[in-house]
């Protein structure tokens, strides 16, 4: 992976986490000399294989539980804890003619967040399961890109110039930053904001209903990951607070 690559979503998550001063927060386990230790120290121990698999499971079990309670800062903390693994995924799946690092980053984060909200926290090797969920989503990017028709993309870019000012702010910003495509922004806008039936939009796009449903879910997952760190561009928040509310599932019709 080239060192000259511009900063992307994972770098933004790292920066947001540091700025929120969350690295000093602690969990119940593990402990050193009987004392609770910071998230930063816990991640160091995990990377150095300094704690047993059972202790790692305890860490992820608590992070999953806290994230599911609805506090966005703990969702951010969970992603931050997995950042080294996510960076490995991007290094393996990103680049090449068919795709780019930005889309792989967004998909990896989206896959991680989806699994975070549905994994059985009682199972062993929670961290590995979360990593593989992110890895599977990232690996799909290259295949999807290879199937896209270049002429369609050219037409979409031209159409986007005409419609950008009419799209909702968050969607337009995400399109501009390359998080989602123009067609995905329209899909979300028409079915979520304008209230059009997904089946009707799928027919107009030449897609089967299930394929259109999945496409929207993937796009909303990438959008959720982007907004997690992109929201602070519009309104600064006090240290320790994450202003954006994420929906665990992006498929609610």
């Amino acid at each position: 992976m080239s060192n000259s690559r511009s900063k992307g979503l994972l770098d933004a998550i790292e920066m947001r986490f540091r700025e929120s001063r969350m690295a000093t927060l602690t969990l119940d386990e593990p402990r050193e000399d009987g004392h609770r230790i910071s998230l930063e120290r816990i991640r160091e121990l995990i990377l150095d294989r300094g704690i047993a698999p059972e202790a790692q499971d305890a860490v992820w079990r608590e992070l999953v539980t806290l994230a599911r309670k609805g506090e966005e800062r703990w969702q951010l903390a969970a992603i931050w804890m997995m950042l080294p693994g996510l960076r490995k995924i991007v290094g393996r799946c990103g680049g090449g003619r068919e795709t780019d690092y930005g889309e792989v980053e967004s998909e990896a984060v989206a896959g991680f967040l989806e699994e975070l909200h549905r994994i059985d926290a009682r199972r062993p090797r929670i961290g590995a399961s979360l990593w593989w969920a992110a890895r599977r989503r990232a690996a799909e990017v290259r295949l999807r890109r290879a199937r896209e028709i270049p002429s369609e993309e050219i037409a979409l870019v031209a159409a986007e110039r005409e419609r950008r000012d009419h799209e909702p702010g968050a969607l337009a910003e995400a399109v501009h930053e390359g998080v989602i495509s123009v067609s995905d922004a329209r899909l979300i806008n028409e079915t979520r904001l304008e209230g059009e039936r997904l089946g009707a939009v799928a027919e107009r796009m030449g897609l089967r209903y299930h394929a259109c449903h999945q496409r929207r879910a993937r796009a909303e997952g990438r959008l959720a990951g982007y907004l997690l760190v992109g929201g602070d561009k519009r309104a600064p928040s006090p240290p320790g607070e994450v202003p954006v509310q994420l929906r665990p599932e992006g498929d609610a019709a």
Side-chain angles (χ1 to χ4, degrees):
M1 185 164 57
S2 173
N3 293 330
S4 62
R5 183 171 61 89
S6 60
K7 291 184 177 180
L9 177 60
L10 301 187
D11 292 321
I13 290 172
E14 181 76 49
M15 183 179 300
R16 177 64 176 157
F17 185 85
R18 297 290 181 184
E19 290 175 349
S20 68
R21 303 175 187 173
M22 288 188 60
T24 58
L25 292 179
T26 62
L27 298 175
D28 288 337
E29 298 291 341
R31 301 195 177 205
E32 289 185 326
D33 299 324
H35 300 290
R36 290 162 63 116
I37 57 178
S38 68
L39 294 179
E40 186 164 34
R41 177 59 178 156
I42 291 172
R43 194 170 82 169
E44 289 176 358
L45 289 173
I46 291 177
L47 291 175
D48 293 339
R49 302 184 185 277
I51 59 176
E54 295 79 8
Q56 292 188 38
D57 281 341
V59 169
W60 282 111
R61 188 170 296 114
E62 187 170 359
L63 283 173
V64 167
T65 301
L66 290 168
R68 287 176 176 174
K69 288 181 177 179
E71 285 195 62
E72 291 84 0
R73 64 174 184 163
W74 286 111
Q75 293 187 72
L76 177 61
I79 299 173
W80 179 84
M81 189 67 71
M82 185 60 73
L83 272 186
L86 294 176
R87 292 188 189 281
K88 288 183 179 179
I89 290 172
V90 174
R92 294 173 183 176
C93 300
R97 292 183 306 167
E98 298 89 351
T99 186
D100 58 61
Y101 288 106
E103 187 174 5
V104 173
E105 286 182 328
S106 297
E107 286 286 3
V109 170
F112 174 85
L113 284 173
E114 286 182 0
E115 188 68 11
L116 185 73
H117 286 279
R118 69 186 177 203
I119 192 171
D120 182 356
R122 298 168 298 180
R123 63 169 298 166
R125 295 179 56 80
I126 300 173
S129 297
L130 292 168
W131 186 88
W132 276 108
R135 174 71 170 77
R136 286 192 295 270
R137 281 289 292 272
E140 293 174 2
V141 176
R142 189 183 298 271
L143 180 60
R144 271 204 320 276
R145 280 296 188 186
R147 291 173 175 171
E148 289 182 354
I149 303 173
S151 59
E152 178 189 8
E153 289 301 306
I154 294 172
L156 289 175
V157 169
E160 188 268 341
R161 291 176 180 172
E162 298 177 2
R163 290 177 56 98
R164 181 179 295 171
D165 291 341
H166 302 287
E167 293 174 342
L171 290 176
E173 182 178 317
V175 169
H176 181 68
E177 294 295 328
V179 178
I180 58 176
S181 69
V182 179
S183 57
D184 285 342
R186 289 178 183 170
L187 174 59
I188 295 171
N189 181 56
E190 291 170 355
T191 60
R192 295 299 194 192
L193 304 181
E194 296 180 0
E196 192 166 353
R197 291 187 304 106
L198 183 60
V201 176
E203 184 176 356
R204 189 165 62 246
M205 295 176 69
L207 298 173
R208 293 182 179 274
Y209 180 90
H210 182 66
C212 191
H213 187 277
Q214 286 187 320
R215 178 170 177 169
R216 184 180 66 178
R218 286 194 297 264
E220 288 182 328
R222 295 196 301 273
L223 182 63
Y226 169 71
L227 291 178
L228 181 65
V229 295
D232 60 335
K233 295 178 181 178
R234 294 182 287 275
S237 302
E241 294 186 8
V242 180
V244 179
Q245 293 185 350
L246 291 181
R247 292 178 298 172
E249 298 291 342
D251 292 334

